[in-house]
Amino acid sequence: MPVARRALRQAVARAATGVEGAVMSELAGAVDEVLLGLGDGVNRVDRKTYRAYQRLRNFACLCPRQRSKLLVYLKVDPKDVDLVPGFTRDVSGLGHHRTGDLEVQPRTARDVERAQDLFRASYAAA
């Protein structure tokens, strides 16, 4: 009996992860589309641990999706932005190997729309 319950719980967890994974893949596609649509000279470069978007230099990095959010690092000065807890974060004092000092955490398609001004500012800075 306990083995059957464990198998059932694992099946439910896999199904939930599949749904979340599909939503996060869709969200990553939306971010990708917005970043590539910023200009003609935007290139996407897939690295081992992230995806870089560059004009002449990197202006954005998209980290692999997590369960409920994406992480996008932008080349925008965090002091020039009104930081919103849970959406934007200053990572200038943290050790990270990505482009820029502003972390954006889009969780929904609406968050991607909110972040478009930040994406444009990062593109202009590159």
Side-chain angles (χ1 to χ4, degrees), residues 36-53:
L36 288 174
L38 290 174
D40 293 334
V42 177
N43 296 320
R44 179 180 63 205
V45 179
D46 290 324
R47 301 288 183 200
K48 187 175 181 179
T49 58
Y50 63 95
R51 178 178 287 169
Y53 297 86

Side-chain angles (χ1 to χ4, degrees), residues 6 23 32 36 38 41 44 48 54 56 78 80 93 110 123:
R6 186 179 321 138
V23 170
D32 185 61
L36 288 174
L38 290 174
R44 179 180 63 205
K48 187 175 181 179
Q54 52 187 228
L56 298 174
D80 298 338
R110 190 171 186 196
Y123 175 78

Side-chain angles (χ1 to χ4, degrees), residues 1-14:
M1 189 76 163
V3 174
R5 284 185 182 169
R6 186 179 321 138
L8 181 61
R9 273 190 304 224
Q10 289 173 348
V12 169
R14 277 194 299 270

Side-chain angles (χ1 to χ4, degrees), residues 35 50-53 58-63 71-74 97-99:
L35 290 172
Y50 63 95
R51 178 178 287 169
Y53 297 86
N58 289 0
F59 68 89
C61 288
L62 175 64
C63 292
L71 296 178
V72 182
Y73 293 93
L74 300 174
H97 300 287
R98 307 288 188 260
T99 298

